[in-house]
Amino acid sequence: MKGWDFGDSNIYGQALIVYDPDPFYNFDEQVCLSVAEVFTENGMKVKVVSVAAAGEHDLKTFDVLVFCANTYNWSPDWAIQDFIKGQKSLHGKPVMAITLGAGSTASSKKKLEHLISSKDGTILGSGTFWLMRPNDEARMNESNVRVALSMVRNWSESLVYEYRKIN
């Protein structure tokens, strides 16, 4: 079970980021830590936890939720799915949905969004990022992971802005 705490202030609230560690790559961990850094830089207190540790936390105490799912067989990984399904309700909380994969994530993204919506979560944003497929064909000379992390940071900044507008 992994977990990190970021930020001392919660001027703009608290966020919980839940992910299922990939057994081969740490792409999901890198993505989640990038989101946490952006949220912290923007005045939020953030907790990043593996899905195995997420059950120890009351989701009602967080202002924003982030679910990061790996794609296996065109679906979000079972651990993230089971965790979300196990919630009575997400109580209209803003949720950032992140779908990761080697390159085929469209079906998985839709399934993750549907699952979040079925539990009364409000999707603040939903994005896909790839480990092997180019994230930005204009940046082919850069590391694909580095490109993805840059894109995640920019996307997270825009979602923080959206979150502030609604709160």
Side-chain angles (χ1 to χ4, degrees), residues 1-162:
M1 293 192 293
K2 288 187 172 185
W4 295 268
D5 291 308
F6 291 86
D8 294 327
S9 80
N10 62 355
I11 295 168
Y12 292 106
Q14 296 185 68
L16 177 67
I17 301 173
V18 180
Y19 77 105
D20 186 23
D22 185 284
F24 303 106
Y25 306 100
N26 72 341
F27 183 50
D28 48 359
E29 184 176 297
Q30 292 177 67
V31 165
C32 291
L33 294 175
S34 289
V35 173
E37 289 172 3
V38 169
F39 282 14
T40 301
E41 291 165 4
N42 284 278
M44 295 186 82
K45 188 172 178 131
V46 183
K47 182 172 282 295
V48 179
V49 296
S50 66
V51 70
E56 300 171 12
H57 304 284
D58 181 1
L59 300 189
K60 292 177 189 172
T61 63
F62 294 91
D63 303 295
V64 177
L65 302 172
V66 178
F67 296 120
C68 181
N70 292 302
T71 297
Y72 296 107
N73 298 318
W74 302 278
S75 295
D77 62 76
W78 290 346
I80 292 292
Q81 285 191 64
D82 290 346
F83 178 75
I84 297 170
K85 286 176 184 175
Q87 304 306 309
K88 289 181 183 176
S89 172
L90 297 177
H91 311 284
K93 293 235 185 246
V95 178
M96 182 176 177
I98 302 171
T99 307
L100 304 177
S104 182
T105 53
S107 176
S108 183
K109 177 181 184 263
K110 287 180 186 176
K111 289 175 183 176
L112 181 60
E113 290 169 350
H114 176 74
L115 185 56
I116 291 166
S117 295
S118 74
K119 290 296 183 172
D120 196 31
T122 302
I123 297 175
L124 182 61
S126 181
T128 57
F129 303 95
W130 304 294
L131 180 62
M132 297 181 184
R133 179 178 162 191
N135 285 290
D136 182 347
E137 291 185 8
R139 298 171 67 184
M140 296 290 285
N141 292 335
E142 297 177 57
S143 154
N144 196 48
V145 170
R146 187 169 297 138
V147 170
L149 295 177
S150 169
M151 293 171 70
V152 166
R153 285 190 63 82
N154 291 336
W155 180 55
S156 298
E157 286 280 353
S158 70
L159 293 181
V160 166
Y161 176 76
E162 290 301 315

